Amino acid sequence: MAGSGTEAFPELGAHCQHSDCNQLDFLPFKCDACLKVFCLEHRTSKSHQCPKPHHNSRRVFVCETCSMSIEITNGEDNEKAIQEKHDRSGDCDPSKKKKPTCSVKRCKEILTFSNSSTCKTCHTKVCLKHRFPADHACKNSNNSSARVNRETKDKFLVAMASRNAKNCANKEGGSLSAPRNPSVRAY
């Protein structure tokens, strides 16, 4: 690296190796072709006139068995051949398969012990954002929510009836009577 860092922190950052720049960049970019260090403005091969050709035909293939990303540099287009080559290489390990994700459509949240919930009505494992039946495609959401609302209303009515039966509002003496020994007297 050419002239990196400051006096106080010599290992921090690097100077851009473009002939007209020499800017100190704390997050420098390294060119894959010429292996020089550049700032954000000169990071592309066109901006620093890289003398070595770049291989822009890089693609990534994701293995169906182990979810490993495989970089394709030689222009192979046949995905089946790439998959077979990867399987034969010995690098393919199905135990490294991706972790389970939330079952809600377009939700990519990875389910872990602390951020997952199992729906009590449809028994589907979802993330915390979709834990309520209304937030995911719960099969029994209409029936269960109506049942819960009905049970809550019934409990409320039973509580009101028992309150009226106990005669909480003392009707004989009047419920809003003044206290017999007031601590503050009104003049």
Side-chain angles (χ1 to χ4, degrees):
M1 286 190 174
S4 62
T6 61
E7 288 182 20
F9 301 102
E11 300 295 319
L12 184 64
H15 287 277
C16 178
Q17 290 183 315
H18 190 270
S19 59
D20 296 333
C21 184
N22 200 29
Q23 176 184 351
L24 177 61
D25 196 336
F26 295 106
L27 295 171
F29 294 90
K30 188 173 185 179
C31 179
D32 291 333
C34 65
L35 303 176
K36 290 185 178 182
V37 178
F38 298 100
C39 64
L40 179 66
E41 185 179 342
H42 300 111
R43 69 182 171 158
T44 62
S45 59
K46 287 182 182 179
S47 64
H48 70 267
Q49 289 111 20
C50 187
K52 297 183 181 180
H54 280 267
H55 299 286
N56 293 331
S57 62
R58 290 185 184 171
R59 294 184 310 143
V60 176
F61 171 75
V62 179
C63 176
E64 295 173 359
T65 309
C66 67
S67 301
M68 183 177 182
S69 298
I70 304 162
E71 187 175 342
I72 304 167
T73 56
N74 59 358
E76 287 185 46
D77 288 330
N78 188 357
E79 291 185 3
K80 288 183 181 179
I82 297 167
Q83 179 73 41
E84 290 173 5
K85 183 179 175 183
H86 175 65
D87 290 343
R88 285 184 303 223
S89 71
D91 294 334
C92 190
D93 186 8
S95 65
K96 294 181 181 177
K97 183 92 173 143
K98 280 187 180 176
K99 297 190 187 296
T101 57
C102 180
S103 62
V104 175
K105 190 176 184 179
R106 292 191 296 253
C107 182
K108 296 178 182 177
E109 185 73 28
I110 294 174
L111 298 178
T112 61
F113 174 76
S114 61
N115 78 337
S116 62
S117 176
T118 304
C119 180
K120 293 178 182 174
T121 56
C122 66
H123 305 289
T124 305
K125 202 167 189 179
V126 293
C127 68
L128 292 179
K129 189 189 295 183
H130 300 109
R131 68 186 178 268
F132 299 113
D135 294 334
H136 66 275
C138 189
K139 295 170 187 146
N140 301 328
S141 65
N142 293 338
N143 297 339
S144 64
S145 63
R147 182 177 47 81
V148 169
N149 288 340
R150 188 172 47 251
E151 289 174 0
T152 305
K153 189 186 284 186
D154 291 345
K155 287 179 183 177
F156 175 74
L157 292 174
V158 167
M160 286 297 291
S162 67
R163 180 177 175 209
N164 289 338
K166 290 180 183 176
N167 202 4
C168 289
N170 189 2
K171 292 182 181 176
E172 289 91 28
S175 62
L176 298 175
S177 63
R180 294 184 185 162
N181 297 324
S183 60
V184 178
R185 292 187 181 200
Y187 292 102

